[in-house]
Amino acid sequence: MVVIWFPELLPHLKSRRNIDKGIYRQEADDYKCNSSLHKDAVHVCITSDKNTIGGMIALINSIYSKHKHHVFFHLVVDAESQDHLRIWIETTKLKDIHYQIKVFPENWVKGKIKVRGGRQDLAKPLNYARYLPTKKLFPDIKGRVLFIDDDSIVQGDIKELYDMDLSPGHAVGFSSECSSASRRLTLMKNNYADYIDFKSKNIKEMKIDPTECAFNTGVFIADLDLWRKYNITNQLQHWMELNTKEEIYGNERGGGGSQPPMMIVFYKKYTNIDPGWHVRYLGWTSGTSYTKQFIGMAKLLHWNGRFKPWGRVSQHKDVWNKYYIEDPTGKFKPARKN
């Protein structure tokens, strides 16, 4: 049993079921010994660090505020954010959610990340938690897990996305980037040539069509049983490591980071997510890309890009503000216009 001592939280937590003589027991321990917490649950994985943790909180709250089904949150953070996140959850309206906090094992990707070009933020180890190393993050989970980037807000019933049909043999569902909106907002063709170096001998051997539509990895549904069966994590790790030895991706317009290996491994092997369940590129520009009416109808909003909703300038920030819960420690402070 792992225990954490937070004496400063006792006034807030003394009525909680997990307090025993001033000792707060991690929800992870309850989870492991109580199968009812994960039976028939919607499993949601969110990753974050100290710079974006407010986004994780807003996303959790958006799901929790509208949930009609049992949701279990798998929260993956850096070591510095572990206690911070637990305090934020346990001293606010989120105290009744079922969750598990895990620190991402950064040594798992040590020496395997090489980012070319200018976006060094893509080299953050937590970006690679989406590769779902099941033995490290989900050893007890069978069935599905829904991965959502922390710069997102859910406005629909999350069970609808979780239960979407996956084509036979497909381990994942992604959002295709072939829509006119994606191309209009990014000013790219959004095909494989925007992300992968087709001069590479190893890529040529894959027989990938460079004009094939890309897909977005910020929101996806994964069948963990098939993920394990196909050794997906090991396949992704192979392309990561190969890219440190020769250029496979990184200098193209779409950038490098965690997306290109997923595009290689899942080439023509994924099911399309309903477009309403991933309205994205809200962070691509500070100007308004969509009407308020359209935003209101969207089931999931994603501020991918540099203009985050907790930043000083961002479109449709009012939607995100509805779900943000102030940090009780005062460490995370969204930028506000004066």
Side-chain angles (χ1 to χ4, degrees):
M1 176 65 71
V2 179
V3 296
I4 306 294
W5 169 243
F6 289 139
E8 72 276 16
L9 292 184
L10 286 180
H12 304 282
L13 300 179
K14 62 183 179 181
S15 63
R16 291 282 286 145
R17 68 182 185 279
N18 292 327
I19 296 299
D20 180 15
K21 295 182 180 180
I23 295 176
Y24 166 61
R25 297 177 180 176
Q26 289 190 62
E27 293 287 343
D29 297 308
D30 290 341
Y31 171 74
K32 290 176 182 176
C33 66
N34 187 349
S35 60
S36 66
L37 288 182
H38 54 86
K39 183 180 180 181
D40 299 323
V42 173
H43 292 278
V44 178
C45 178
I46 310 169
T47 68
S48 197
D49 62 19
K50 65 178 182 179
N51 298 312
T52 62
I53 193 170
M56 174 183 273
I57 290 292
L59 174 54
I60 294 171
N61 190 29
S62 71
I63 297 172
Y64 177 62
S65 297
K66 294 183 173 62
H67 80 289
K68 301 176 182 177
H69 308 274
H70 178 204
V71 179
F72 195 98
F73 294 96
H74 302 266
L75 308 175
V76 185
V77 296
D78 57 340
E80 189 175 346
S81 300
Q82 184 180 21
D83 292 344
H84 183 194
L85 177 59
R86 187 172 291 111
I87 293 171
W88 207 331
I89 290 173
E90 291 295 324
T91 59
T92 64
K93 62 176 285 190
L94 300 179
K95 62 184 180 295
D96 291 321
I97 68 170
H98 287 143
Y99 71 101
Q100 182 180 46
I101 298 175
K102 287 206 171 183
V103 174
F104 182 67
E106 295 189 5
N107 61 317
W108 180 69
V109 293
K110 187 176 181 180
K112 301 172 185 175
I113 301 173
K114 185 176 180 64
V115 173
R116 299 175 175 87
R119 290 196 60 188
Q120 289 304 309
D121 59 307
L122 297 175
K124 292 193 299 185
L126 268 166
N127 282 335
Y128 299 86
R130 74 191 67 229
Y131 289 0
L132 306 183
T134 54
K135 291 181 180 179
K136 300 178 185 297
L137 299 183
F138 313 107
D140 306 311
I141 301 299
K142 295 182 179 180
R144 295 182 170 193
V145 67
L146 179 60
F147 181 94
I148 309 178
D149 271 349
D150 63 2
D151 51 357
S152 304
I153 288 293
V154 172
Q155 299 189 124
D157 180 359
I158 199 70
K159 188 77 159 52
E160 180 184 329
L161 177 58
Y162 190 77
D163 287 342
M164 68 167 279
D165 291 332
L166 292 176
S167 299
H170 286 182
V172 291
F174 291 111
S175 297
S176 170
E177 294 283 34
C178 271
S179 70
S180 59
S182 294
R183 290 179 172 176
R184 172 176 60 84
L185 295 172
T186 64
L187 302 179
M188 294 194 304
K189 294 181 180 179
N190 275 320
N191 56 27
Y192 268 63
D194 281 328
Y195 294 88
I196 295 169
D197 184 357
F198 279 86
K199 298 189 296 296
S200 165
K201 177 183 176 182
N202 286 283
I203 293 297
K204 289 178 180 178
E205 291 176 351
M206 295 292 293
K207 307 295 184 184
I208 295 175
D209 180 359
T211 66
E212 178 71 17
C213 288
F215 53 82
N216 189 285
T217 61
V219 176
F220 64 90
I221 182 73
D223 182 321
L224 292 183
D225 297 326
L226 289 179
W227 194 280
R228 295 183 182 102
K229 179 181 178 180
Y230 299 153
N231 292 316
I232 297 298
T233 300
N234 288 340
Q235 291 187 54
L236 294 167
Q237 191 172 355
H238 163 74
W239 288 104
M240 279 180 69
E241 293 176 341
L242 188 60
N243 189 57
T244 65
K245 301 171 185 175
E246 61 180 87
E247 185 175 337
I248 303 295
Y249 55 85
N251 276 322
E252 291 68 40
R253 293 183 67 190
S258 60
Q259 177 151 325
M262 298 188 83
M263 292 175 60
I264 296 170
V265 170
F266 292 112
Y267 175 65
K268 292 189 174 181
K269 296 177 183 176
Y270 70 93
T271 302
N272 275 310
I273 289 176
D274 183 303
W277 269 109
H278 194 182
V279 174
R280 51 205 181 277
Y281 293 110
L282 274 77
W284 209 255
T285 173
S286 59
T288 302
S289 303
Y290 305 100
T291 65
K292 282 193 173 183
Q293 182 180 13
F294 180 79
I295 290 296
M297 293 187 298
K299 297 176 181 179
L300 186 149
L301 303 173
H302 186 191
W303 280 264
N304 58 317
R306 55 184 292 215
F307 297 99
K308 302 302 183 186
W310 53 83
R312 187 167 297 279
V313 179
S314 174
Q315 59 177 295
H316 300 292
K317 182 184 288 193
D318 57 314
V319 179
W320 186 85
N321 285 338
K322 286 195 303 184
Y323 299 104
Y324 177 69
I325 299 172
E326 293 294 333
D327 181 0
T329 72
K331 293 179 181 178
F332 186 92
K333 297 180 179 179
R336 308 292 190 193
K337 283 187 176 180
N338 296 327

